[in-house]
Amino acid sequence: MKLLALTTLLITTITTSSFAQQRARDLGIKFDGSPGQYNAITDVKGVLVGYKTIIIGDGALVTGKGPVRTGVTVIMPNGKSIDPLPAGWFSLNGDGEMTGTTVIDEYGLNYGPIGITNTNSVGVVRDAIGEWNMKNFSKGSLVDFSFGLPVAAETFDGILNDINGLHVKKEDVFEALNSAHGGKVEEGNVGGGTGMSLFNFKGGSGTSSRVIKIDTATYTIGVFVQGNFGGRKDLVISGVPVGKEWQGDMPTINRKPKDGSIIIIVATDAPLLPAQLKLVAKRASLGVARCGGIGRNGSGDIFLALSTVPPKDNAKGTLQTWTVLPKEQMDKVYQATVESVEESIINAMIAAKTMTGINGNTVYAIPHDKLMQVINSYSHKMQ
């Protein structure tokens, strides 16, 4: 048992440590728009991302013991705080879960960190975020709502992971929350994206951003995805029908595969109303479509958009003032959202590594050299 624990610790540490990862632009794949400094959701000031990756064991599935290929991702749109921010959400296809959405509909605000994990761990992640909030922000008043109504969302990793083993624990969520940071964001087989697939290639966590200008003001739109959807023939990259051109590299799956899902978080420093943010969340659908996604019946495609510009209350709390973009100025925000979603999905795929999980099920990373050959060959044919 000590050897297994040591092996697990080593594997998990290696998986979550910082290392050079290739991204779509590194391969020469072209995208529209101008990214921010890190081409990540963390380009939006105040946004932090944290991961805990859990990788244990190999071989046949033994429920409760493994193999384990899972984790949790946290996104803190307002730093390590539960101060509310404007929010809106949209479901393209509802075969999935995102908690906390009814209060977002009611108040137009999100309070604190957001969690993304596997389907069966939504509850523990939601509760752990609430407990962390309470421990860090409780004022000890008689009526204490510091626990809040946290947002936690999921995609299904049961092709590679012992999903019924419930391996994500509250301590894992605490670790992700406490280690959340700005700057560069790791992608691929990390956090909640550890056991996920995209278009029958390895998928997972991905991010991107765009910088736009409206009048004299500059705004940033950042996106984070946990991608786990798509059939091989659906895949489109930079306008090239890669999936239709591709031969081989199909996953080895020793059971009938399940449809996947995608969770998308959009953050921006543009001042927007909750109703406008719902419109932004809707446009995330178009970024999915650019990659070939069609919102299949078994896919949970749920998107949340937030603005880091909160409303301001007067001293008495009797009047609230919002600063907002006119709706007529929203097109650049929509376009930046679509572009960032598209690139985030492809980044997740490019960064991901081949992974073998339960019962020897293996999902292969997309081979970079072969990908560029397909893209360049198709582009040459179309000239």
Side-chain angles (χ1 to χ4, degrees), residues 5-310:
L6 177 60
T7 302
T8 302
L9 176 62
L10 289 172
I11 292 174
T12 305
T13 302
I14 291 169
T15 304
T16 57
S17 64
S18 296
F19 60 90
Q21 286 183 321
Q22 283 191 300
R23 310 183 76 191
R25 289 175 185 256
D26 297 330
L27 303 184
I29 298 173
K30 306 297 183 184
F31 297 96
D32 296 329
S34 300
Q37 180 181 359
Y38 300 107
N39 194 12
I41 194 171
T42 49
D43 287 321
V44 180
K45 186 177 179 180
V47 178
L48 310 177
V49 175
Y51 293 124
K52 177 60 185 284
T53 302
I54 309 169
I55 298 178
I56 303 172
D58 295 291
L61 170 64
V62 180
T63 301
K65 295 184 177 180
V68 183
R69 305 287 187 269
T70 195
V72 59
T73 301
V74 296
I75 297 172
M76 296 178 160
N78 199 12
K80 296 189 178 182
S81 162
I82 56 170
D83 293 339
L85 291 176
W89 73 285
F90 176 72
S91 172
L92 173 64
N93 194 66
D95 192 9
E97 178 67 279
M98 180 182 284
T99 68
T101 49
T102 52
V103 73
I104 289 173
D105 278 345
E106 188 73 18
Y107 287 90
L109 298 168
N110 173 76
Y111 297 79
I114 298 158
I116 319 176
T117 187
N118 73 64
T119 304
N120 295 10
S121 297
V122 169
V124 69
V125 170
R126 180 257 185 203
D127 289 352
I129 290 173
E131 184 176 341
W132 187 88
N133 289 343
M134 188 173 58
K135 288 180 176 179
N136 285 278
F137 306 114
S138 175
K139 296 179 181 178
S141 58
L142 180 62
V143 179
D144 183 354
F145 202 64
S146 58
F147 187 101
L149 295 166
V151 172
E154 54 78 29
T155 62
F156 181 83
D157 61 12
I159 300 301
L160 295 173
N161 175 50
D162 171 22
I163 192 168
N164 289 337
L166 306 176
H167 294 279
V168 177
K169 308 301 183 185
K170 72 176 184 179
E171 292 79 13
D172 300 316
V173 185
F174 294 162
E175 185 173 330
L177 289 161
N178 291 329
S179 64
H181 59 83
K184 292 183 179 179
V185 176
E186 199 172 351
E187 296 170 296
N189 304 2
V190 290
T194 299
M196 306 303 171
S197 305
L198 278 167
F199 301 99
N200 294 127
F201 289 112
K202 188 65 186 68
S205 304
T207 190
S208 184
S209 71
R210 293 295 184 273
V211 177
I212 62 172
K213 193 167 185 178
I214 298 176
D215 195 14
T216 60
T218 298
Y219 302 112
T220 301
I221 294 86
V223 166
F224 184 95
V225 308
Q226 183 167 295
N228 187 56
F229 71 97
R232 174 62 55 82
K233 295 298 183 182
D234 299 334
L235 176 60
V236 177
I237 298 180
S238 194
V240 176
V242 169
K244 293 179 180 178
E245 300 287 315
W246 200 278
Q247 299 295 322
D249 303 299
M250 290 298 289
T252 302
I253 299 176
N254 297 304
R255 61 184 247 186
K256 182 180 179 181
K258 180 187 181 300
D259 286 343
S261 302
I262 182 168
I263 299 298
I264 301 176
I265 309 299
V266 184
T268 183
D269 56 9
L272 299 175
L273 293 170
Q276 293 174 309
L277 288 161
K278 188 177 187 71
L279 298 178
V280 172
K282 284 184 178 182
R283 267 56 179 197
S285 307
L286 302 178
V288 174
R290 280 194 178 188
C291 298
I294 63 169
R296 293 183 185 278
N297 176 67
S299 189
D301 308 328
I302 308 174
F303 317 138
L304 174 67
L306 307 102
S307 169
T308 59
V309 183

Side-chain angles (χ1 to χ4, degrees), residues 307-325:
S307 169
T308 59
V309 183
K312 295 182 179 179
D313 294 331
N314 66 3
K316 295 181 178 180
T318 56
L319 184 67
Q320 192 172 75
T321 304
W322 295 67
T323 302
V324 302
L325 288 177

